[in-house]
Amino acid sequence: MDKQESGQNNWEARTKKNTVKLGIWTFGWVLTTAVTAFAPKFLWDFNTVLTVIAVIINVLVGFGMILANREHLRGLDEMQQKIQTEAMALSLGVGLVLGCSYELLEDIKLITFEPEISHLVILMCITYMIGIIKSGAKYR
């Protein structure tokens, strides 16, 4: 095995390790978000101490997910970093612009329901996926 093959294998192994690590942190964040959202009502009858602990754990796991995502991005090759960056920029822009407009819709009485953050998260996830597909096709 020559030096270039060895470097390629190391890069692939590191990328795989970072991807698995990011997946574990993401799963943990989703799990702690579900606990924070549903456990106060269904498990501990809105006990304030338990709810605050759940929120703190959720935020800490969320920061762990952010750090794992940063490590994952830094381990990618230049083209993959560019694809990810463009998809994230698109998702952030769409989320910011449409999120602010969506929030205003209730204030100016164009909708009768209260805007939910989950709608914005879904929109940003869909936009991110579209950005990945679009950028992936662009740099293929």
Side-chain angles (χ1 to χ4, degrees):
M1 181 183 313
D2 66 3
K3 196 173 183 175
Q4 187 175 6
E5 259 184 58
S6 175
Q8 179 70 20
N9 288 340
N10 286 341
W11 177 80
E12 287 175 4
R14 189 179 65 237
T15 300
K16 184 177 179 180
K17 179 183 156 196
N18 288 342
T19 302
V20 169
K21 187 176 176 182
L22 177 60
I24 291 169
W25 276 101
T26 302
F27 176 77
W29 179 74
V30 170
L31 183 66
T32 59
T33 300
V35 168
T36 303
F38 300 113
K41 181 177 180 181
F42 296 112
L43 294 181
W44 56 68
D45 194 29
F46 297 101
N47 178 301
T48 304
V49 173
L50 292 177
T51 302
V52 168
I53 289 171
V55 169
I56 290 170
I57 290 172
N58 179 245
V59 170
L60 292 175
V61 172
F63 279 113
M65 181 182 70
I66 291 168
L67 294 175
N69 193 30
R70 183 180 70 176
E71 186 176 333
H72 173 71
L73 289 173
R74 287 180 174 172
L76 296 175
D77 66 26
E78 208 170 289
M79 185 178 75
Q80 289 173 329
Q81 286 179 353
K82 192 162 181 66
I83 290 170
Q84 291 288 328
T85 302
E86 287 185 14
M88 288 179 186
L90 178 66
S91 176
L92 175 66
V94 168
L96 182 67
V97 170
L98 294 182
C100 289
S101 295
Y102 183 48
E103 171 60 28
L104 287 174
L105 292 178
E106 183 195 21
D107 297 341
I108 59 176
K109 310 290 184 207
L110 287 179
I111 59 174
T112 56
F113 57 93
E114 186 173 334
E116 296 286 335
I117 190 70
S118 60
H119 298 154
L120 183 60
V121 171
I122 291 169
L123 172 70
M124 291 180 75
C125 288
I126 291 170
T127 305
Y128 174 74
M129 286 188 289
I130 290 170
I132 290 289
I133 293 168
K134 185 180 169 205
S135 296
K138 180 179 171 184
Y139 294 112
R140 191 176 293 180

